[in-house]
Amino acid sequence: MSFTIAIVGRPNVGKSTLFNRLIGEMKSITDDVSGVTRDRIYGECDWGGKQFNVIDTGGFVPRSEDVFEKHIREQVLIAMEEASLLLFVVDVTCGITDLDDEFANLLRRSKKPVFLIVNKVDNSKREYMTAEFYSLGINTVFNISGITGSGTGELLDAVVELIPENVSQAPDLENIPKVCIIGQPNVGKSSLVNALLGEERNVVTPIAGTTRDTVHTHYKKFDMEMLLIDTAGIRKRTKVHENLEFYSVIRAVKALDESNIAIIVIDAVQGISQQDLTIYRMAVKKHRGIILVVNKWDLLQKETNTMRDFEQNIKAKLAPFNDIPIIFTSVLEKQRIFKILEEVQKVYQNITKKIPTSQLNEIMGKVIEKFGPPPSNGKLITIKYVTQLPTATPSFAFFTNHPKYIRESYKQYLENKLRENFIFTGVPVNIFFREK
């Protein structure tokens, strides 16, 4: 594993602001409300020609019985185990608190190197206020301002000095599937990621809206490699009331933008709802590969043809584009969850498929010869040839004498024949008509 640093500390000291500053993007949500970051959020930093991982964590509150703070505490301890270096962040404007003292005691017992990061030091008066933090017993201290970036250069210089020359660099994620797990709140998205990884990677509770940030995980097991992106649940707009949840939904949509495959998770008990269809159409509009996962299948009373009827009902609602894998799972029972990964591989092959122009014209030429485009407005329409365009998703240009007169029904016919002959299951296909 490549060199990893974990940013830790009590709530609301600016850990996520520092994390965003180090990775150079607004990946973690920042807010004045404590407890915003709940899961371990991963990013990458490149400094001085060296790459390393950065983990943002939630605020550590010892002995709290709050359901979220208890889970956050577990996540922080896991992050500390994963990390090569710990950045302990404190707030100069508050001085040393009891929580800081207690957390410093925990860190001093750790065998990992620790840097003390005194945050919010953005004027000379606050520089003088940093002296008291040396009493925490951590020798390496950096005064910074996460908001302005002051002092972060010196911090990064010290970090890269600790990276061994032969450490493995961050994996190349360019040519592997980037898979977004998306859906409504509380359908089992985070539980699915945890089940696939075999560890409690993300916070899971029965409370809808537990996941707020997107959580990126590099999966490499059983000869399969992909980037899994867990997201916040997407509710109807009328049900999104707090600003924090609104930003979480935006992050989920942005996660869809950076993926090439979307796993849409729905609740078997609730069935496919209008909101599920809205999420599905959004993925289609963005031309993402799609796999539909029907979770909580173990909770449903079943008869002989329950699965077949359920699938037919879903496909009827998804029409016209319903050529997608539908997998019935129980994450709790780990039922058929690895079939999802097999389908990811197939859909990724379909989305990256390139068909030689000669083969394309040989097969589609026969299709067009058998049933050509019907005349429109007295125009006789002929299609000369077809070629695949160099785009991220399968796109085809049909060259014709009258492109604007080709009907939508014939366009659908061509798409169906492309799917029938070349297999594009799970992938929206784009068809364009150009004048020749």
Side-chain angles (χ1 to χ4, degrees):
M1 182 180 179
S2 56
F3 194 84
T4 301
I5 65 174
I7 302 173
V8 296
R10 64 176 175 82
N12 217 25
V13 291
K15 297 185 297 299
S16 294
T17 302
L18 174 60
F19 173 82
N20 290 337
R21 171 69 59 181
L22 295 183
I23 68 169
E25 59 177 294
M26 296 295 289
K27 190 172 183 180
S28 274
I29 299 174
T30 58
D31 197 281
D32 290 335
V33 180
S34 65
V36 172
T37 302
R38 290 172 176 167
D39 298 306
R40 311 194 303 279
I41 313 300
Y42 287 75
E44 290 178 10
C45 180
D46 191 328
W47 187 261
K50 290 186 178 180
Q51 287 183 322
F52 55 92
N53 296 326
V54 187
I55 309 176
D56 187 19
T57 65
F60 189 88
V61 182
R63 297 182 303 281
S64 172
E65 292 303 316
D66 177 85
V67 62
F68 288 123
E69 289 181 344
K70 183 179 178 183
H71 279 290
I72 288 169
R73 195 160 59 242
E74 294 170 357
Q75 294 288 315
V76 173
L77 294 174
I78 292 170
M80 289 171 64
E81 282 297 315
E82 291 182 4
S84 316
L85 168 68
L86 304 175
L87 303 188
F88 174 31
V89 183
V90 293
D91 184 344
V92 71
T93 63
C94 300
I96 297 174
T97 68
D98 291 341
L99 288 178
D100 292 327
D101 247 333
E102 196 160 350
F103 198 50
N105 287 333
L106 175 66
L107 292 174
R108 283 196 298 269
R109 293 194 297 271
S110 170
K111 295 180 181 178
K112 305 287 178 69
V114 180
F115 288 176
L116 178 63
I117 312 300
V118 186
N119 193 24
K120 306 181 186 179
V121 183
D122 47 20
N123 58 50
S124 55
K125 181 180 178 182
R126 290 182 177 179
E127 283 277 358
Y128 290 114
M129 295 165 60
T130 62
E132 68 169 301
F133 290 96
Y134 284 87
S135 66
L136 290 173
I138 297 171
N139 296 327
T140 309
V141 182
F142 292 90
N143 301 334
I144 72 156
S145 169
I147 291 178
T148 66
S150 171
T152 54
E154 291 83 354
L155 168 61
L156 286 168
D157 287 340
V159 169
V160 296
E161 281 182 13
L162 295 180
I163 302 177
E165 290 299 327
N166 59 349
V167 73
S168 62
Q169 293 300 309
D172 179 12
L173 304 180
E174 278 302 309
N175 299 311
I176 64 172
K178 298 173 184 64
V179 185
C180 175
I181 295 94
I182 199 164
Q184 294 194 69
N186 210 27
V187 293
K189 300 183 298 297
S190 296
S191 296
L192 174 59
V193 174
N194 288 343
L196 292 174
L197 296 173
E199 62 173 295
E200 294 299 308
R201 173 66 175 80
N202 300 332
V203 174
V204 178
T205 75
I207 301 170
T210 300
T211 300
R212 285 177 169 171
D213 292 286
T214 55
V215 182
H216 296 57
T217 306
H218 182 212
Y219 180 94
K220 191 174 183 180
K221 294 182 181 180
F222 311 114
D223 293 326
M224 290 185 283
E225 185 176 13
M226 63 194 71
L227 184 68
L228 298 175
I229 308 173
D230 187 18
T231 67
I234 301 180
R235 303 176 191 260
K236 292 181 180 178
R237 287 186 184 179
T238 54
K239 293 188 176 181
V240 178
H241 299 300
E242 60 173 290
N243 289 336
L244 204 52
E245 186 175 357
F246 173 71
Y247 287 117
S248 297
V249 172
I250 291 175
R251 294 295 168 86
V253 175
K254 286 182 69 177
L256 189 58
D257 287 332
E258 67 177 285
S259 309
N260 43 35
I261 296 174
I263 295 176
I264 301 174
V265 184
I266 71 170
D267 188 319
V269 178
Q270 302 297 326
I272 189 163
S273 67
Q274 192 57 47
Q275 180 65 359
D276 294 322
L277 292 173
T278 299
I279 295 169
Y280 173 78
R281 292 185 187 116
M282 179 171 60
V284 173
K285 188 175 181 181
K286 292 177 180 293
H287 307 294
R288 298 299 179 255
I290 298 172
I291 298 166
L292 192 71
V293 172
V294 183
N295 191 30
K296 306 183 186 180
W297 190 243
D298 56 312
L299 301 182
L300 219 60
Q301 293 291 329
K302 302 173 191 66
E303 298 176 0
T304 306
N305 296 316
T306 302
M307 187 179 289
R308 183 201 66 186
D309 294 343
F310 203 103
E311 182 169 341
Q312 287 178 348
N313 177 57
I314 288 175
K315 290 203 170 185
K317 292 182 178 180
L318 298 182
F321 171 50
N322 55 16
D323 181 20
I324 64 167
I326 299 177
I327 305 170
F328 296 85
T329 70
S330 166
V331 171
L332 194 63
E333 303 290 336
K334 293 185 170 53
Q335 183 182 32
R336 286 186 287 274
I337 59 170
F338 292 103
K339 182 172 174 54
I340 298 171
L341 299 182
E342 293 172 7
E343 291 298 333
V344 166
Q345 298 293 321
K346 292 178 185 177
V347 171
Y348 186 67
Q349 288 174 4
N350 292 341
I351 210 168
T352 55
K353 185 180 293 183
K354 304 299 178 188
I355 304 169
T357 302
S358 58
Q359 183 185 2
L360 195 56
N361 279 278
E362 181 184 353
I363 293 174
M364 294 307 294
K366 293 176 182 177
V367 166
I368 295 165
E369 186 179 344
K370 186 175 181 179
F371 178 48
S376 179
N377 286 9
K379 306 284 187 183
L380 184 63
I381 303 170
T382 58
I383 295 177
K384 306 295 184 182
Y385 69 97
V386 56
T387 187
Q388 185 172 359
L389 301 174
T391 55
T393 54
S395 303
F396 300 89
F398 288 80
F399 290 83
T400 174
N401 54 344
H402 297 294
K404 64 181 180 180
Y405 290 114
I406 294 181
R407 298 173 185 172
E408 187 64 31
S409 57
Y410 191 73
K411 180 180 179 180
Q412 188 63 53
Y413 165 75
L414 292 177
E415 180 180 334
N416 290 340
K417 290 301 179 181
L418 282 167
R419 292 184 180 282
E420 183 182 308
N421 286 282
F422 300 107
I423 313 299
F424 287 106
T425 299
V427 182
V429 170
N430 306 312
I431 291 179
F432 304 95
F433 297 102
R434 293 181 177 174
E435 189 166 2
K436 177 64 177 177

